[in-house]
Amino acid sequence: MEGETVTRLLKRMRYVFPLVVVKIDGTVIPRDRFKETRIPDNVEVEVMHLTSGG
Amino acid sequence: MTRGKIMDDPIIARRLKKASVGIAGAGGLGSNVAMALARAGIGHLVIVDFDIVEEKNLNRQQYFLDQVGQYKVEALKHNIARAVRGCMVEAIKLKLEKGKMTGPFEGVDVVVEALDSAEAKAGLIEEVLMNLPGKPIVAASGVAGYGHSERVFFRRSGDLYLVQDEEAKSSDEDVLLAPKVGLFAYYQANTVLELLLGVEK
């Protein structure tokens, strides 16, 4: 079975923040590839959310 | 080592003088990061912003009433020159557009993310990590509000160093004021020094 996509994972984990930086095993995944990027088994996924203000 | 010797350490001073730091944005984060790094003795700053100083910015940004209407990068360069000697500032008037955000920062040692919108923050982080491998980027998220200094923490993921308050509201829903924005900016600047000099023993 193929891994779930980044978009599906974020939805399943209930990440409600509109803007996140996602890394899979240390490699950044651009936001416009979340829908097509499938997450393989046994990898580390990091999600960092960003909030406006500066 | 005594405190006096450390303060006058010529090796540290020389290393900071030779360092160059890129700052994306000259608002509440960027103007405070720039002033802190200039005072610390960084020799070269590349500051990118397209905006003009407005009176409403003065509640947190390092500008003055008589600078309203000036380009932020030019006003900031002027303020740094008034404050200290020997900090070369490249003031770049430019809106960082998606897909080409890293151009001005190719030659710097460290990039500071000091942008306003979450969209722009995520864009710059992605592009620096993808286009400039090995270049550290120091970002900030969750600067709106006041109090809750204890919620501010720091995480590292590869070349990304993120100062954040995960519980803060967006600046669309909460105030931006000098103390908390300054806390983040100085945290970022302090992280830049650690990246340039190594961890203090």
Side-chain angles (χ1 to χ4, degrees):
Chain A
M1 196 183 97
E2 287 200 310
E4 74 182 328
T5 64
V6 173
T7 302
R8 293 279 305 168
L9 173 81
L10 293 174
K11 200 170 280 177
R12 183 163 63 79
M13 301 299 282
R14 297 181 196 281
Y15 271 92
V16 293
F17 303 101
L19 279 153
V20 292
V21 170
V22 172
K23 283 183 165 189
I24 299 178
D25 269 354
T27 301
V28 69
I29 308 298
R31 279 165 295 154
D32 51 21
R33 299 228 291 267
F34 283 2
K35 271 193 185 136
E36 68 215 40
T37 302
R38 292 184 180 276
I39 302 165
D41 286 343
N42 301 317
V43 293
E44 188 191 28
V45 180
E46 279 178 278
V47 180
M48 288 157 280
H49 81 256
L50 296 163
T51 310
S52 284
Chain B
M1 246 187 190
T2 68
R3 175 178 287 211
K5 276 184 185 161
I6 291 171
M7 280 171 63
D8 300 333
D9 190 329
I11 298 167
I12 287 182
R14 211 176 309 135
R15 283 166 71 187
L16 293 179
K17 179 87 183 160
K18 281 205 314 208
S20 68
V21 178
I23 304 175
L29 290 169
S31 63
N32 283 294
V33 168
M35 287 304 287
L37 291 178
R39 287 190 191 279
I42 298 288
H44 187 193
L45 297 175
V46 177
I47 308 173
V48 183
D49 194 296
F50 65 97
D51 226 345
I52 281 169
V53 179
E54 294 179 73
E55 190 162 342
K56 66 176 188 191
N57 301 147
L58 303 179
N59 67 355
R60 67 187 188 283
Q61 305 187 15
Q62 290 288 349
Y63 304 105
F64 298 93
L65 279 169
D66 59 9
Q67 292 178 317
V68 170
Q70 295 181 14
Y71 278 103
K72 288 183 177 177
V73 287
E74 283 176 359
L76 189 52
K77 180 174 179 162
H78 180 75
N79 293 345
I80 288 169
R82 281 187 67 195
V84 291
R85 284 183 216 286
C87 180
M88 217 262 279
V89 176
E90 251 179 89
I92 302 179
K93 278 175 241 157
L94 175 74
K95 187 168 168 63
L96 292 168
E97 302 281 2
K98 187 171 160 54
K100 40 188 176 179
M101 297 180 100
T102 54
F105 305 120
E106 280 170 13
V108 302
D109 298 313
V110 182
V111 179
V112 176
E113 178 282 307
L115 300 165
D116 192 19
S117 80
E119 176 85 33
K121 286 172 184 290
L124 181 72
I125 292 168
E126 277 178 14
E127 290 187 32
V128 169
L129 295 179
M130 288 190 301
N131 302 346
L132 305 175
K135 182 103 59 193
I137 174 165
V138 183
S141 167
V143 306
Y146 54 88
H148 295 298
S149 303
E150 78 288 349
R151 288 200 315 226
V152 181
F153 77 105
F154 170 81
R155 73 194 270 191
R156 178 184 174 185
S157 168
D159 292 325
L160 170 62
Y161 298 77
L162 181 61
V163 183
Q164 69 181 149
D165 173 358
E166 285 193 304
E167 292 168 68
K169 289 183 189 146
S170 152
S171 55
D172 305 326
E173 304 165 288
D174 206 346
V175 288
L176 288 168
L177 292 169
K180 194 171 175 206
V181 175
L183 183 65
F184 276 71
Y186 272 60
Y187 208 141
Q188 285 181 291
N190 200 30
T191 304
V192 169
L193 294 194
E194 190 167 326
L195 287 166
L196 293 171
L197 297 170
V199 180
E200 193 176 22
K201 300 291 183 296

